[in-house]
Amino acid sequence: MAAPRASHEIPLAETDATAVEPIAERTEAALGQTAAAHDTSEKRPINANNLEAGTDGLGGNSGGEILRREELPRGGLADGEIEPTREELATLRRVSDSFPISAYYVVVVELCERFSYYGCNAPLQNYISYPKEGNKKNGQPGALGLGQQGATGLTNFFHFWAYLTPIMGAIIADQYLGRYRTICYGCGLYITGLFLLFMTALPVSINGNHALGGLVPSLIIIGIATGIIKSNVSPLTVEQYRKTRRFVKILKTGEKVVVDPVVTTQRIFNWFYWAINVGALSPLATVFAEKKVGFWLAYLLPFLMFFVGVGALVAGRKKYIRRPPEGSVLPNTFRIIGIGIRYRSLEAAKPSNLEARGLLHKYNVRWTDHFVDEVRRGLVACKVFVAYPFYSICSNQGSNNLISQAGAMKLGGTPNDLISKLNPLTLIIFVPIFDRVVFPTLRKAGIHFRPITRITLGFFIQSSSIVYITVLQHYIYKNPPNSINVWIQGPCYVLGAISEIFTNITALEYAFTHAPASMKSVVTSVYLFTNAIAAAIGIALTPVNKDPEILWTYASVATAATIAGIIFWFMFRHLNEQEDQMMDLESKDSGHAPSGTASTVQEDGSDSVFLRKVNTHPVKKE
């Protein structure tokens, strides 16, 4: 029998519903010890010092109760909801719970933000590349005339900037405003940037050579707003679901099932990503507006659509479960990592160990032993994303170089920047199929399709899509100009979309479920930052983004993604194995909480037990 493990030694919980059964058993024992305390602390009076500042407005408060998720009795279950027995856990089918209405409001905000982002991003390659007279060879409109290299360089800068700023958004939310109010201010910035982009795309601005002067600051403003929103919107969405424990339910068909928070969290992220790609279809409107009317209309549509998202944000303000700012974890995290590097162990950064060495005052310690454990867990989640830039550099080709490639093909009246919309269209079709058919079938068959395996498969599929484009580019050079039909690009976008189901959705899920409660926004921003690194690599490749060197660019990024996928598998496959070992641990291996601590369910929907001090930060329900 295994010896009890310290809290920092407990392996990460698997996000697949079938991999957490023994964890639930430990949860039952752990929560049983604290149920009495929870019964008395379910509802607490509102303390103004613990709530977000403001009035009943866009970012304000309107009253409510402090309902701390970790203090909800029986993991948030209602009186009539009974926890499953071991036999029921082993034999009954796992299903998702219903989503709270507040989660839908946040998803609408993200849908509109992505509509605006992709809607204004899609025309950029033509807007920057071709002169205001347009491309005489294929009839595509233009404005600035900076060529393919200039257009690809600027769009890569925009991607870099938009995915660098999420770290700033995470700090603002954690330190000062909380997630909801941070998103509100991000929306204000977004509207400002979109309005500036629209104004400088008017014919009078383009003809007066003022378009470039307005484009650059508008992209900077939109990039900041994108980062502020992106780092907070997915954690805010999933936080709306509050249950952390399974319960038995009888369906209308008479079938008895286990409602599992893990499956619910997975489905929330699946549909969250589905909504992103509904928004990503906005170029179907903006590229036709660009071609038939002008760039001013192409940029007016995202500007107007964004107000729908603001309306959803305001409409749900009294329903959101939101945490007040708790102080940014980044400064202390960096100090802990520094101490860990110096003494070759994060254990050395624990106040108890520093006190034993007489070093508390030297390092001005403002953290707890438990927080060091959280940093360790956050680092494990972050290091999984180390290979992601090589994946993203492949997917980024669809927003710049592939659009220029399409311009050298036979269009037949199709805008060259329209074909890329096969990517979100494929996701809109296949995400529900994987969510409702593929993944449930695998779970029913006892196949544990774990995160590391899914991510690795996504790398290989994405790499194969760029291999396809490399071969296509070769044939474009061998054939007469504009003789190959543009729709032959289609398989590249379809393969790339399917790879995102395995790689990008899993990354969002992994960032939330494997990060401790205090670091969810930060870990999510680290994942998003990998896109910034990919964009920086794209900027470095700008000199070769021209004919005929572009052929070697495609071949290089495809090879890099393949190699990265192989290295990723061998570096991190042990995390899958550790999660398998977790299934074999007996309930009592979790040990008992020492005095002053409580064994509580993590706020990540994974039902895993983590010995921790009781969190004193409340959640406000509005």
Side-chain angles (χ1 to χ4, degrees):
M1 181 178 298
R5 298 188 178 195
S7 60
H8 64 273
E9 296 175 323
I10 296 178
L12 296 176
E14 166 64 299
T15 57
D16 188 1
T18 59
V20 292
E21 175 180 325
I23 304 175
E25 297 169 9
R26 287 196 297 276
T27 304
E28 295 174 9
L31 286 179
Q33 299 171 12
T34 57
H38 287 169
D39 288 339
T40 61
S41 60
E42 178 186 2
K43 298 182 180 180
R44 298 194 175 195
I46 295 176
N47 183 337
N49 295 326
N50 289 331
L51 301 180
E52 298 178 5
T55 58
D56 186 12
L58 180 62
N61 302 301
S62 59
E65 297 172 328
I66 299 175
L67 296 176
R68 289 157 42 170
R69 184 182 183 188
E70 64 272 20
E71 291 187 346
L72 291 175
R74 301 175 62 243
L77 300 185
D79 291 339
E81 294 172 340
I82 308 300
E83 295 184 63
T85 64
R86 294 186 181 183
E87 181 181 356
E88 289 171 331
L89 283 172
T91 59
L92 297 183
R93 184 166 65 95
R94 312 287 178 88
V95 300
S96 170
D97 202 355
S98 59
F99 301 165
I101 186 64
S102 55
Y104 287 102
Y105 281 114
V106 186
V107 167
V108 171
V109 174
E110 175 67 357
L111 187 155
C112 295
E113 187 276 330
R114 291 290 88 183
F115 182 101
S116 299
Y117 177 84
Y118 288 110
C120 71
N121 185 68
L124 278 180
Q125 190 77 4
N126 288 346
Y127 185 74
I128 301 169
S129 180
Y130 302 133
K132 55 189 174 184
E133 296 82 12
N135 186 337
K136 296 180 180 179
K137 292 182 179 180
N138 56 25
Q140 297 303 315
L144 302 182
L146 299 182
Q148 180 178 348
Q149 285 181 293
T152 301
L154 270 176
T155 54
N156 275 324
F157 163 76
F158 181 45
H159 296 156
F160 169 79
W161 182 243
Y163 287 102
L164 175 66
T165 52
I167 295 178
M168 177 177 64
I171 294 174
I172 292 173
D174 291 341
Q175 183 76 48
Y176 303 107
L177 301 177
R179 290 190 184 112
Y180 172 73
R181 294 182 64 207
T182 300
I183 293 173
C184 290
Y185 285 110
C187 288
L189 274 178
Y190 220 122
I191 290 172
T192 302
L194 289 172
F195 181 72
L196 179 60
L197 181 62
F198 157 68
M199 291 296 294
T200 54
L202 290 170
V204 65
S205 298
I206 295 175
N207 294 331
N209 297 320
H210 303 305
L212 181 60
L215 173 67
V216 174
S218 66
L219 293 183
I220 291 174
I221 295 172
I222 293 172
I224 294 173
T226 297
I228 288 175
I229 294 173
K230 285 293 290 181
S231 60
N232 292 290
V233 70
S234 60
L236 182 64
T237 301
V238 183
E239 283 178 347
Q240 303 310 302
Y241 182 70
R242 313 204 48 198
K243 293 177 182 177
T244 59
R245 307 187 73 183
R246 302 180 180 93
F247 63 93
V248 176
K249 178 180 179 180
I250 298 178
L251 303 179
K252 293 181 179 179
T253 60
E255 180 187 6
K256 182 186 287 189
V257 296
V258 173
V259 178
D260 195 329
V262 176
V263 178
T264 305
T265 299
Q266 290 176 334
R267 293 202 66 212
I268 289 175
F269 275 115
N270 282 337
W271 289 101
F272 179 85
Y273 203 76
W274 182 86
I276 286 176
N277 285 279
V278 171
L281 287 177
S282 58
L284 293 176
T286 60
V287 298
F288 275 107
E290 152 205 351
K291 186 176 178 65
K292 302 297 183 182
V293 180
F295 288 102
W296 66 269
L297 180 59
Y299 293 134
L300 177 62
L301 295 177
F303 173 70
L304 296 177
M305 183 64 178
F306 200 84
F307 284 96
V308 177
V310 173
L313 190 66
V314 175
R317 70 188 186 280
K318 294 184 179 181
K319 302 180 184 297
Y320 298 132
I321 306 298
R322 45 181 169 135
R323 285 184 171 275
E326 302 175 357
S328 176
V329 300
L330 284 181
N332 285 337
T333 298
F334 290 140
R335 292 169 67 192
I336 289 170
I337 293 173
I339 295 173
I341 292 173
R342 179 171 182 178
Y343 295 101
R344 300 183 180 180
S345 173
L346 285 181
E347 285 293 310
K350 288 188 173 182
S352 57
N353 292 328
L354 290 174
E355 183 177 17
R357 297 187 179 197
L359 298 175
L360 274 179
H361 295 293
K362 177 180 178 180
Y363 291 106
N364 190 25
V365 174
R366 297 181 179 179
W367 58 84
T368 64
D369 284 8
H370 166 65
F371 182 70
V372 176
D373 291 331
E374 288 195 328
V375 170
R376 177 186 289 105
R377 186 168 173 229
L379 289 175
V380 170
C382 288
K383 72 179 183 179
V384 168
F385 305 134
V386 68
Y388 265 75
F390 298 99
Y391 173 88
S392 298
I393 189 66
C394 290
S395 61
N396 287 350
Q397 300 303 309
S399 61
N400 41 60
N401 284 326
L402 293 188
I403 293 176
S404 295
Q405 184 191 67
M409 302 176 73
K410 183 179 180 180
L411 297 175
T414 303
N416 67 319
D417 43 10
L418 178 67
I419 185 70
S420 63
K421 298 313 114 189
L422 280 175
N423 177 282
L425 186 61
T426 300
L427 283 162
I428 289 172
I429 294 171
F430 278 93
V431 165
I433 292 174
F434 275 84
D435 178 70
R436 295 181 178 274
V437 179
V438 177
F439 291 144
T441 301
L442 290 174
R443 284 196 296 266
K444 189 174 182 179
I447 299 175
H448 308 317
F449 203 17
R450 308 202 188 284
I452 303 303
T453 306
R454 298 202 302 266
I455 293 171
T456 303
L457 179 60
F459 266 82
F460 293 148
I461 296 175
Q462 182 65 271
S463 177
S464 67
S465 74
I466 303 301
V467 169
Y468 177 88
I469 283 298
T470 305
V471 175
L472 176 59
Q473 186 68 46
H474 171 72
Y475 280 99
I476 289 174
Y477 288 150
K478 288 185 64 176
N479 288 272
N482 304 105
S483 61
I484 298 179
N485 193 288
V486 69
W487 290 99
I488 295 180
Q489 278 191 335
C492 169
Y493 291 108
V494 173
L495 287 171
I498 293 175
S499 79
E500 291 180 33
I501 296 175
F502 297 114
T503 305
N504 285 351
I505 296 179
T506 304
L508 288 171
E509 176 189 322
Y510 202 95
F512 186 86
T513 59
H514 286 68
S518 63
M519 301 184 71
K520 292 189 187 298
S521 285
V522 172
V523 174
T524 299
S525 69
V526 169
Y527 157 64
L528 295 173
F529 179 68
T530 63
N531 290 275
I533 297 175
I537 296 173
I539 294 172
L541 293 174
T542 297
V544 294
N545 287 331
K546 60 180 180 179
D547 296 324
E549 289 89 347
I550 190 68
L551 181 67
W552 297 106
T553 299
Y554 294 142
S556 298
V557 298
T559 302
T562 301
I563 295 173
I566 294 171
I567 295 175
F568 175 86
W569 171 251
F570 284 104
M571 282 184 63
F572 299 116
R573 62 178 179 174
H574 68 279
L575 295 180
N576 280 344
E577 296 169 0
Q578 289 179 358
E579 290 164 354
D580 288 336
Q581 292 168 6
M582 174 65 88
M583 297 178 65
D584 298 328
L585 293 177
E586 296 184 70
S587 177
K588 63 181 181 180
D589 283 349
S590 63
H592 298 283
S595 177
T597 67
S599 297
T600 63
V601 179
Q602 289 179 189
E603 297 184 75
D604 58 4
S606 64
D607 277 12
S608 60
V609 172
F610 197 79
L611 297 182
R612 54 180 293 180
K613 292 186 178 180
V614 175
N615 189 341
T616 58
H617 299 294
V619 175
K620 185 185 177 190
K621 181 176 181 180
E622 292 190 331

